Amino acid sequence: MNWWFLIGVAGVILLGYLANRLGWIDLSNKNTRAGGGGSLLTIGDEVFAPSRHEAAIEIDRQSSLPAPAPVAGDRDLGIYDGRIRIDL
């Protein structure tokens, strides 16, 4: 192998590592249905199909459940002290 090939491969790996650490690309696997190569495909989505990538992020955001609403009988969280008076 030529020495420039090894330097080029090391440079690409270093650039990918820095881009991941700086938040330019996201290599975490958010696609739980796919196999092991899901994180590599998200790079292509971010670069070549950004609207598809943004739609996938929005679907993940909307599919997460919000905090449960308070129900009658829950303890007071310290918001109201004493009686509530309503003037009509």
Side-chain angles (χ1 to χ4, degrees), residues 39-83:
S39 62
L40 293 176
L41 295 178
T42 58
I43 296 171
D45 284 344
E46 287 184 51
V47 174
F48 297 110
S51 59
R52 181 179 185 271
H53 178 71
E54 291 170 5
I57 291 174
E58 184 67 19
I59 288 171
D60 288 342
R61 187 187 67 77
Q62 290 181 3
S63 64
S64 64
L65 297 175
V71 295
D74 283 348
R75 63 178 182 80
D76 185 20
L77 299 176
I79 298 171
Y80 304 110
D81 292 332
R83 294 184 168 191

